């Protein structure tokens, strides 16, 4: 059955892989499933046809036969459950990997997104500098906790899993702010994740669409 995802016609990040279709592409590459991509303009994302698939007018979505999904956590979990390669067989290990997926989107991603919004939208506010340092501290707190848990291990819980895929995807956005470099084991964890052939293929596929004219190769 054909899998179709949606992505930005032109991502605001110019191909850095921060748009969330990258994590879905990555999951599909990890499990070896081919997929098609429907590119959407910002305007098309807000029109009824797309809102019927994604009620918040966002990308990505995932279509497979009659099944339509949104929310990257749910999409990656679906891929990981349907195909082999992203979740352990052992029931407890599987539950722990899923726990890390939730931790990524529910506990680690929110302060990182808040920092991104502050830097993008609040710089002209008189309280910007004060708020920025508060927001940065919230990110640092989460990164420190994650760093302590990861310690010197390769992945969060045994072999690479959908939990690592989601966590690394979230950490990519923290690297933009330089805060990640304060935690060398997390920076190395992210570098390891990016070195995976499946990630490289996913990254290259989104870059081919989003790179500024003439810079993709
Ligand atoms: N929680 C959602 C977030 C989706 C999301 O924020 N997508 C961004 C692109 S990475 C988007 O569509 N932004 C445009 C908008 O919100 O209008 C998920 O994980 O799928």
């Amino acid at each position: 059955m054909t899998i179709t995802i949606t992505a930005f016609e032109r991502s605001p990040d110019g191909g850095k892989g921060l748009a969330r279709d990258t994590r879905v592409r990555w999951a599909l590459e990890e499990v070896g499933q081919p997929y098609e991509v429907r590119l959407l303009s910002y305007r098309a994302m807000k029109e009824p046809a797309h809102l019927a698939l994604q009620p918040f007018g966002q990308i990505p979505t995932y279509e497979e036969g009659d099944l339509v999904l949104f929310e990257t956590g749910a999409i990656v979990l679906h891929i990981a459950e349907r195909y082999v390669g992203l979740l352990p067989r052992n029931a407890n290990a599987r539950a722990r990997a899923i726990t890390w997926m939730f931790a990524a989107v529910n506990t680690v991603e929110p302060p990182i997104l808040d920092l991104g919004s502050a830097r993008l939208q609040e710089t002209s506010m008189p309280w910007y500098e004060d708020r920025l340092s508060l927001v940065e501290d919230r990110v640092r707190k989460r990164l420190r906790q994650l760093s302590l848990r990861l310690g010197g291990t390769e992945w969060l819980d045994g072999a690479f899993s959908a939990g690592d895929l989601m966590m690394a995807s979230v950490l990519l956005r923290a690297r933009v702010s330089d805060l990640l470099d304060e935690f060398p084991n997390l920076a190395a964890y992210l570098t390891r994740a990016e070195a995976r052939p499946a990630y490289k293929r996913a990254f290259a596929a989104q870059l081919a669409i989003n790179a500024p004219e003439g810079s993709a190769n």
Side-chain angles (χ1 to χ4, degrees), residues 66-156:
D66 291 343
L67 178 67
V68 178
L69 295 174
F70 59 94
E71 283 299 331
T72 50
I75 295 171
V76 172
L77 180 56
H78 168 75
I79 294 167
E81 288 195 315
R82 178 157 299 198
Y83 305 104
V84 174
L86 278 172
L87 284 175
R89 276 167 181 268
N90 174 274
N92 285 358
R94 204 176 174 92
R96 289 196 303 272
I98 294 169
T99 300
W100 280 115
M101 295 182 70
F102 276 87
V105 290
N106 213 28
T107 302
V108 179
E109 189 168 46
I112 293 173
L113 291 182
D114 196 23
L115 179 58
S117 307
R119 291 193 158 175
L120 205 65
Q121 294 160 358
E122 297 170 2
T123 48
S124 61
M125 300 296 176
W127 37 257
Y128 173 67
E129 293 296 338
D130 288 341
R131 184 166 131 73
L132 184 67
S133 81
L134 286 177
V135 174
E136 283 183 345
D137 281 347
R138 281 185 209 128
V139 174
R140 265 191 202 98
K141 178 180 167 190
R142 284 289 177 254
L143 295 183
R144 188 172 301 114
Q145 291 165 326
L146 184 65
S147 166
L148 281 173
R149 171 51 78 98
L150 181 68
T153 58
E154 191 178 17
W155 304 115
L156 287 166

Side-chain angles (χ1 to χ4, degrees), residues 8 19-20 23 42 45-46 57-60 71-72 173:
F8 283 124
R20 289 172 178 80
R23 48 183 85 165
Y42 194 79
M45 286 162 58
K46 310 299 170 193
Q58 300 178 317
I59 59 95
E71 283 299 331
T72 50
R173 284 172 179 253

Side-chain angles (χ1 to χ4, degrees), residues 13 15-18 22 26 108 111-113 115-116 119 136 139 143 167-195 199 203 206:
D13 77 352
K16 292 193 178 78
L18 302 181
T22 304
W26 185 8
V108 179
I112 293 173
L113 291 182
L115 179 58
R119 291 193 158 175
E136 283 183 345
V139 174
L143 295 183
M167 192 62 80
S169 299
V170 162
L171 292 181
L172 276 169
R173 284 172 179 253
R175 190 165 58 191
V176 176
S177 75
D178 294 339
L179 290 182
L180 198 66
D181 293 335
E182 296 177 20
F183 303 92
N185 68 333
L186 293 185
Y189 170 76
L190 185 52
T191 302
R192 265 194 304 281
E194 289 173 301
Y199 178 80
F203 183 87
Q206 64 77 37

